Amino acid sequence: MKVYLDGQFVDADDAKISVFDHGLLYGDGIFEGIRLYQGCVFRLEEHLERLEYSAKAILLKMPWSRQEIADIVCETCRVNELENGYIRLVVTRGKGNLGLSPKTCSVPSLVCIADHLALYPAEYYQEGLKIITVPTRRINSAALSPGVKSMNYLNNIMAKMEADQLGYIEALMLNDQGYVAECTGDNVFIFHKDKLWTPPFHAGALKGVTRSVVLDIAEDLSVPVMQENLTRYDIWIADECFLTGTAAEVIPVVEVDGRPIGEGTPGKKTATFLEEFRSRVAKEGTFL
Ligand code: PMP
C-alpha cells in the first residue's frame, strides 16, 4: 500500500511523521473519513468543506486548495488500484517545539491513506445493533466544538472502551446536560410517530456527512424532521432507531440500555432509508 505524505507517495512502512509533530504531541490536527464506492468518491466536496471548516475553527492555515486536496484523494485511490474502500485524510499542525503554542509549527502535514474497509459484519444490518449509554459524556461544545473533526478522540475512545467492557460494540453518549449527543463514531436518529428525530449540533453532534444524506432523503420522502434535544427516555420509547456514519452507512439499532426499540427488530422505515442511501451511493460521487 502507498500512502500520500507531504507531496510524495511512500510505502506504508515508510509513512512516518515526526515525534515533534503537534498532531502527535497534542492531538493538534484534523481529519476526514471518506468512502470510495465503485471508483467514485462519495460526497467529496462535503468532506473537503468540513475539513476546511475544521481548519478554520482551529486557526490552522492549510496551504492547499480544495482542488489540490481532491486530486490527492483521488490519486491515492488510483495509486492503490482501489475500487471500494475507506479514505483517511489527516492534516496535522506540523513539526514544532515542545511548547503548546502552534506558533513554532510552520508547515502543516497532509496525509492521505486509502485502504479496504473493515465494515460492520452484514448480520448487524439484518439483525440490528444493541447499544448502551456510557458514563463518559461528550465534550462540552463550549470547550471544543463537536463540529471540529479533530485528532483528539480520547473522549470518544473512552466511551467506546466503556461500551466494550460491557460487551457492546457502540456507545450512546450524552452531553453534560444529559441530552443525547451521538455515538462514538456515528450520529443517532429515531423515528417516533412518523417523524424523524436527531439531536441538533449544539447538543454535541458532529455534522455528519451521512447525517446530511439522511436529511436529504427525509426531505425527498416528505418525512418531517425534528432536530431537537433528545433524552434517553425519548430513545427508549422510539418506534425505530438507527445510526449513521461514513463507515457504518445507515445501521439499525434494536436495543438501547436493555430496552428493545419498537418490536426489537430492525424497523421498516430504517430499511427504506438504508435502501435509499445505497441507491444514492450508486448514483452519486466524484469519479476517480
Ligand atoms: N460522530 C462522530 C464522533 C464521528 O467520528 C463520525 C464519523 N465517523 C460521525 C459522527 C459520522 O459522520 P460521517 O457521517 O461524516 O462519517
Side-chain angles (χ1 to χ4, degrees):
M1 193 216 307
K2 295 277 186 194
V3 171
Y4 176 90
L5 173 61
D6 293 332
Q8 290 179 31
F9 285 99
V10 294
D11 286 330
D13 286 345
D14 298 324
K16 292 180 181 145
I17 287 268
S18 165
V19 293
F20 293 99
D21 192 307
H22 280 209
L24 175 75
L25 289 174
Y26 299 117
D28 186 354
I30 51 178
F31 75 98
E32 281 297 315
I34 311 170
R35 281 292 281 276
L36 175 71
Y37 292 104
Q38 310 290 350
C40 278
V41 185
F42 189 60
R43 299 250 170 158
L44 181 56
E45 284 294 315
E46 263 183 63
H47 282 287
L48 296 182
E49 183 182 78
R50 187 170 65 186
L51 185 76
E52 287 166 11
Y53 289 165
S54 294
K56 191 164 187 187
I58 68 161
L59 294 167
L60 193 162
K61 209 165 175 336
M62 294 200 292
W64 318 279
S65 67
R66 188 182 294 189
Q67 189 56 50
E68 279 169 328
I69 303 180
D71 291 345
I72 288 164
V73 167
C74 293
E75 192 56 21
T76 308
C77 297
R78 280 194 290 264
V79 164
N80 288 290
E81 295 177 2
L82 271 187
E83 275 283 297
N84 292 288
Y86 179 85
I87 302 153
R88 174 57 60 90
L89 198 51
V90 185
V91 179
T92 73
R93 186 75 69 176
K95 239 190 311 183
N97 68 20
L98 291 179
L100 267 183
S101 170
K103 278 189 184 155
T104 60
C105 310
S106 49
V107 194
S109 266
L110 178 60
V111 176
C112 187
I113 308 166
D115 201 0
H116 296 284
L117 180 77
L119 278 174
Y120 280 134
E123 73 226 39
Y124 288 179
Y125 294 85
Q126 284 136 26
E127 289 163 22
L129 290 183
K130 295 180 179 178
I131 64 172
I132 192 157
T133 309
V134 293
T136 292
R137 298 283 172 110
R138 196 74 181 88
I139 288 177
N140 184 313
S141 50
L144 175 64
S145 167
V148 177
K149 201 161 163 60
S150 86
M151 284 172 63
N152 206 315
Y153 255 55
L154 212 45
N155 175 233
N156 306 52
I157 291 167
M158 300 270 285
K160 186 97 178 168
M161 287 193 298
E162 285 161 1
D164 186 60
Q165 281 164 356
L166 297 167
Y168 290 84
I169 193 148
E170 184 54 291
L172 187 67
M173 297 181 78
L174 308 180
N175 63 23
D176 56 359
Q177 292 176 296
Y179 291 112
V180 173
E182 59 178 352
C183 288
T184 65
D186 298 308
N187 290 113
V188 61
F189 285 83
I190 55 170
F191 281 109
H192 187 58
K193 301 205 177 194
D194 295 327
K195 286 188 181 142
L196 182 63
W197 301 72
T198 195
F201 300 133
H202 64 71
L206 177 78
K207 294 189 178 186
V209 171
T210 323
R211 180 186 187 276
S212 76
V213 178
V214 162
L215 297 180
D216 290 349
I217 295 171
E219 193 177 345
D220 293 351
L221 299 181
S222 303
V223 174
V225 175
M226 310 292 287
Q227 297 192 46
E228 300 208 350
N229 277 337
L230 296 172
T231 62
R232 289 209 293 163
Y233 168 82
D234 297 319
I235 308 278
W236 296 338
I237 62 151
D239 303 322
E240 297 188 23
C241 177
F242 65 88
L243 310 183
T244 63
T246 294
E249 302 180 320
V250 173
I251 190 157
V253 172
V254 293
E255 186 195 288
V256 179
D257 301 334
R259 281 88 166 168
I261 301 299
E263 303 296 314
T265 52
K268 288 203 177 71
K269 294 189 181 106
T270 302
T272 305
F273 271 64
L274 174 57
E275 214 174 283
E276 252 317 299
F277 175 80
R278 290 200 167 141
S279 94
R280 274 162 209 242
V281 155
K283 279 186 246 156
E284 289 182 32
T286 305
F287 285 105
L288 290 184

